[in-house]
């Protein structure tokens, strides 16, 4: 056997199991190009991946601040404005968007209710312009729903017992009451908002919801007084409540209504008719007793 140069071979090249010695030049070395697979996103990425890459929309403080993210500029500020606009649409479906409208205390709510009891003052809009709330309107409307339904049930019960007739509880009173008052305080201000905007005398939508919500408070004592079993007295109570509620809305919107032009009278008439119509519905449906 011979050995040399790091290789070994048998003396007989034809021997079984022998391995021929390697000859010739060394094979060329393989060189790998530098790769950036360990860096994501790649610093020199190309194609669709580079164009589509951007931080998630909730990675900045779009939801917690009014402006864009801090430290943004140039191309970053443009992307930030797009994210902020997208976040604005999603913000209206979040609870945090409505939190400022429930940031009131008991004294604020009581003061605003007191303003609705004296409709000729006309200072409600001025006092709530900086901080209109939805807390008071929501609970005013909810209280009115259950007061009207419960008082109507109680009055019906007394009337049947007085005439010695069988009485059955009507659960639909609560359903119709909720649909009537929640629907009224939601869609009527929305309609008025569109009308005022059309006449170039816009008012804030939340401000209108706040105004109309508190305007329904007067119907709560009116419902309580409707226990008195005198039909003409119930009609007077309903009429007075409707007139006070309509006056409260009209007086506090007088600045917007006057700026709407020559048709301001039609807007005032519409406000009065709608409020009086609500009072008539309250009287006919809840406090017209048939045995």
């Amino acid at each position: 056997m011979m050995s040399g140069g790091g290789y070994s071979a048998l003396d007989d090249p034809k021997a079984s199991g022998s391995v021929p010695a390697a000859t010739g030049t060394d094979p060329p070395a393989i060189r790998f190009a530098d790769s950036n697979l360990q860096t994501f996103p790649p610093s020199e990425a190309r194609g669709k991946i580079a164009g589509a890459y951007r931080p998630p929309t909730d990675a900045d403080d779009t939801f917690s601040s009014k402006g864009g993210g801090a430290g943004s500029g140039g191309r970053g500020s443009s992307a930030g404005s797009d994210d902020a606009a997208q976040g604005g649409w999603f913000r209206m479906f979040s609870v945090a968007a409505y939190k400022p409208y429930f940031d009131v205390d008991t004294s604020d709510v009581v003061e605003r209710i007191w303003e609705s009891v004296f409709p000729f003052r006309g200072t409600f809009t001025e006092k709530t312009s900086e901080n209109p709330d939805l807390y008071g309107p929501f609970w005013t409307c909810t209280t009115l729903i259950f007061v009207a339904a419960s008082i109507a049930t109680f009055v019906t019960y007394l009337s049947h017992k007085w005439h010695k007739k069988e009485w059955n509880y009507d659960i639909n009173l609560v359903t119709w009451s909720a649909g009537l008052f929640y629907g009224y305080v939601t869609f009527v201000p929305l309609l008025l908002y569109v009308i005022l905007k059309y006449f170039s005398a816009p008012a804030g939508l939340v401000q209108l919801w706040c105004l109309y919500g508190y305007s329904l408070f007067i119907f709560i004592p009116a419902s309580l007084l409707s226990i008195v079993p005198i039909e003409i007295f119930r009609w007077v109570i309903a009429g007075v409540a409707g007139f006070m509620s309509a006056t409260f809305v009209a007086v506090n919107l007088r600045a917007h209504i006057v700026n709407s032009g020559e048709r301001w009278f039609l807007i005032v008439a519409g406000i009065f008719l709608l409020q009086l119509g609500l009072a008539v519905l309250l009287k006919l449906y809840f406090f017209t007793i048939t045995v």
Side-chain angles (χ1 to χ4, degrees):
M1 178 181 293
M2 299 177 61
S3 63
Y7 297 94
S8 63
L10 297 176
D11 295 336
D12 186 0
K14 297 182 178 180
S16 176
S18 64
V19 179
T23 60
T25 61
D26 295 336
I30 299 175
R31 298 179 61 83
F32 292 92
D34 294 336
S35 175
N36 56 3
L37 294 179
Q38 299 299 325
T39 304
F40 186 83
S43 58
E44 296 179 358
R46 290 175 174 81
K48 295 182 179 181
I49 295 179
Y53 173 76
R54 63 177 58 186
T57 56
D58 57 349
D60 57 8
D61 58 348
T62 301
F63 287 92
S64 59
S65 63
K66 296 181 180 180
S72 61
R75 183 175 56 86
S77 62
S78 177
S81 61
D82 294 340
D83 292 341
Q86 183 178 6
W89 283 102
F90 287 102
R91 182 178 175 85
M92 66 180 295
F93 298 104
S94 64
V95 178
Y98 302 93
K99 185 178 179 180
Y101 302 118
F102 291 83
D103 187 16
V104 290
D105 52 25
T106 305
S107 61
D108 294 330
V109 175
V110 171
E111 181 182 2
R112 296 174 183 189
I113 289 176
W114 195 248
E115 286 285 334
S116 68
V117 178
F118 298 94
F120 293 99
R121 291 182 176 178
T123 58
F124 181 88
T125 304
E126 180 182 353
K127 291 182 177 180
T128 60
S129 59
E130 298 295 333
N131 185 29
D133 74 288
L134 298 178
Y135 178 87
F138 172 77
W139 284 112
T140 298
C141 192
T142 304
T143 303
L144 177 59
I145 289 170
F146 287 99
V147 167
S150 59
I151 295 299
T153 301
F154 181 67
V155 170
T156 306
Y157 171 78
L158 292 180
S159 180
H160 281 73
K161 289 301 181 181
W162 179 264
H163 292 86
K164 297 181 180 180
K165 299 292 184 178
E166 183 181 358
W167 173 79
N168 295 315
Y169 176 71
D170 187 7
I171 189 62
N172 291 325
L173 285 174
V174 178
T175 304
W176 281 101
S177 179
L180 174 64
F181 295 116
Y182 279 146
Y184 184 87
V185 82
T186 300
F187 294 107
V188 171
L190 183 61
L191 177 62
L192 182 59
Y193 170 79
V194 174
I195 293 174
L196 291 177
K197 193 174 183 65
Y198 175 79
F199 286 109
S200 301
L205 180 58
V206 177
Q207 182 75 31
L208 292 175
W209 277 332
C210 179
L211 179 65
Y212 267 85
Y214 282 105
S215 72
L216 298 184
F217 175 80
I218 194 63
F219 291 107
I220 296 177
S223 299
L224 295 175
L225 291 175
S226 296
I227 295 178
V228 178
I230 302 175
E231 191 69 10
I232 188 63
F233 178 78
R234 290 172 178 170
W235 276 111
V236 171
I237 290 298
V240 171
F243 176 79
M244 292 179 65
S245 180
T247 304
F248 172 71
V249 175
V251 169
N252 284 281
L253 288 178
R254 65 183 184 275
H256 298 280
I257 295 174
V258 171
N259 292 333
S260 61
E262 297 179 354
R263 299 182 180 180
W264 65 269
F265 180 77
L266 297 178
I267 299 177
V268 174
I271 291 174
F272 266 87
L273 290 177
L274 285 174
Q275 296 292 99
L276 291 176
L278 179 65
V280 171
L281 285 177
L282 181 65
K283 168 61 182 69
L284 290 178
Y285 188 78
F286 294 98
F287 300 109
T288 297
I289 309 302
T290 57
V291 179

